[in-house]
Amino acid sequence: MMFLQILFTFSFLFSSSNALDFCVGDLNAPQGPAGYSCKNSEAVIVDDFIFSGLRVAGNTSNLIKSVPTPVFSTQFPGLNGLGISLARLDMAIGGWVPMHTHPGASELFVVIQGTIRAGFISSTNKVYCKTLEEGDVMVFPQDLMHFQFNVGKSPALAFASFSKASTDIYVMDNAWFANDLPVDILQKTTFFDPDQIKKLKGIFGGTY
């Protein structure tokens, strides 16, 4: 009897470990805090583990002259449950990424082309900032505000990896100006001039 119990236990563990090799996201199912539910293993194909969307540069014709191309579990269901993701960042000359953070995720940032000034601010308000050249890598610790500028004389390209299969981008400027937060509250909490606040709300699509 003891032998059968041990055999059953090992059999269960073996089958469970096989079942948990991966959890390709079922994009037709709701997404919860832990990600998507698993696609039926019989329906999983090799293309679920391949993403080709980073071959093409993003369109940088926008206000900040830069654009990220995310590779999260929503775009790449093979990432579901693995705790990793990726993004391509294209930056035109003079392009930038405003002060932002990725809740719950650290970021590894590598410059592929061009020259990018990047940095982050610690919880003690210390600034860590440096100009990065091709091949340089910088890490932005979890939840800290950070930024990037293309300071070179040509377009820049970088890739970023994240410690979550899907992460949000929280942009400080949007939090302040891309909504209906009243001008008087913003004036008191930011010390900005009311006319400047109205101008920025106009730029970011907010109302007052």
Side-chain angles (χ1 to χ4, degrees):
M1 176 67 81
M2 180 64 70
F3 173 76
L4 290 177
Q5 290 177 338
I6 294 173
L7 182 63
F8 174 79
T9 300
F10 274 99
S11 175
F12 175 77
L13 290 174
F14 179 75
S15 61
S16 297
S17 64
N18 281 348
L20 295 176
D21 282 346
F22 50 78
C23 177
V24 173
D26 181 357
L27 302 187
N28 294 317
Q31 185 179 21
Y36 292 98
S37 57
C38 301
K39 185 177 180 180
N40 188 310
S41 60
E42 296 300 319
V44 173
I45 59 175
V46 66
D47 285 346
D48 288 325
F49 302 100
I50 298 171
F51 182 82
S52 302
L54 297 183
R55 298 176 180 177
V56 180
N59 184 2
T60 57
S61 299
N62 54 53
L63 175 66
I64 61 175
K65 300 180 182 179
S66 68
V67 61
T69 302
V71 188
F72 299 155
S73 55
T74 302
Q75 294 83 23
F76 190 7
L79 292 177
N80 189 59
L82 298 182
I84 55 173
S85 57
L86 185 70
R88 170 180 176 142
L89 178 63
D90 290 282
M91 307 179 80
I93 298 173
W96 75 96
V97 181
M99 194 76 68
H100 66 283
T101 186
H102 307 282
S106 298
E107 176 181 346
L108 201 61
F109 184 81
V110 56
V111 178
I112 305 300
Q113 174 186 318
T115 304
I116 297 175
R117 183 83 168 165
F120 66 90
I121 302 172
S122 76
S123 59
T124 59
N125 292 323
K126 184 173 181 178
V127 178
Y128 297 86
C129 183
K130 190 166 185 177
T131 299
L132 307 177
E133 304 291 347
E134 295 178 11
D136 288 342
V137 180
M138 187 170 189
V139 63
F140 304 120
Q142 180 174 316
D143 294 334
L144 297 185
M145 301 298 294
H146 56 280
F147 55 88
Q148 296 98 5
F149 291 90
N150 180 2
V151 294
K153 297 181 180 179
S154 62
L157 170 64
F159 285 92
S161 64
F162 305 95
S163 59
K164 290 180 67 175
S166 184
T167 184
D168 296 320
I169 178 170
Y170 181 84
V171 180
M172 183 178 293
D173 291 330
N174 287 343
W176 284 347
F177 306 116
N179 50 47
D180 60 354
L181 190 62
V183 172
D184 62 324
I185 293 178
L186 278 170
Q187 181 184 8
K188 289 181 173 64
T189 56
T190 64
F191 302 104
F192 288 158
D193 181 89
D195 290 335
Q196 188 176 18
I197 292 172
K198 292 177 182 178
K199 178 181 178 180
L200 289 168
K201 277 184 168 287
I203 293 174
F204 287 95
T207 58
Y208 57 88

